[in-house]
Amino acid sequence: ARDQRGDGSSSPEEDENSVIKILEASLHVSVETIAKSNPQTKDFFCMLGFLPGGAVDSDLENIWGKGWKTHMQALLKASLVACTRSSSKSPDPHLASKIGGRK
């Protein structure tokens, strides 16, 4: 429904809903692209959803095993995850030691 002002502009709520729909569509395409190229990377991405506080390298290795770095690199390349550096030294300087900001 359009704003009742009569000028054809949309309300802030409609604008927000449009932005959310665009974001959902973009996320869907990104995840489906990952799923087609490597279904295990999609599974890894879904597993990360169970870690809302983030995870450090050792957490991911204990949960997923040594192959987690390959999946993380694919997700980073697709901009589906973001990493932050820890003040401690990471065992892999090319991957941040913290995912999602867990302290």
Side-chain angles (χ1 to χ4, degrees):
R2 290 279 176 201
D3 186 50
Q4 297 299 317
R5 292 178 290 202
D7 62 3
S9 64
S10 58
S11 68
E13 293 82 17
E14 288 174 322
D15 290 343
E16 184 176 331
N17 287 336
S18 294
V19 169
I20 291 170
K21 286 180 183 180
I22 291 167
L23 181 59
E24 286 174 342
S26 176
L27 181 59
H28 178 75
V29 168
S30 295
V31 171
E32 287 306 308
T33 300
I34 290 288
K36 287 177 183 174
S37 65
N38 188 339
Q40 284 188 325
T41 299
K42 181 183 177 187
D43 293 344
F44 181 79
F45 179 63
C46 292
M47 181 272 303
L48 291 176
F50 289 107
L51 306 170
V56 294
D57 292 359
S58 60
D59 293 337
L60 296 172
E61 183 137 351
N62 287 329
I63 294 167
W64 197 266
K66 293 190 184 290
W68 74 270
K69 291 179 183 179
T70 301
H71 301 302
M72 183 62 73
Q73 289 171 342
L75 295 172
L76 286 165
K77 185 176 179 181
S79 299
L80 289 171
V81 296
C83 292
T84 59
R85 291 222 178 261
S86 171
S87 59
S88 64
K89 291 184 179 180
S90 173
D92 184 344
H94 299 290
L95 290 175
S97 63
K98 293 176 88 176
I99 315 294
R102 184 175 126 181
K103 303 239 183 235

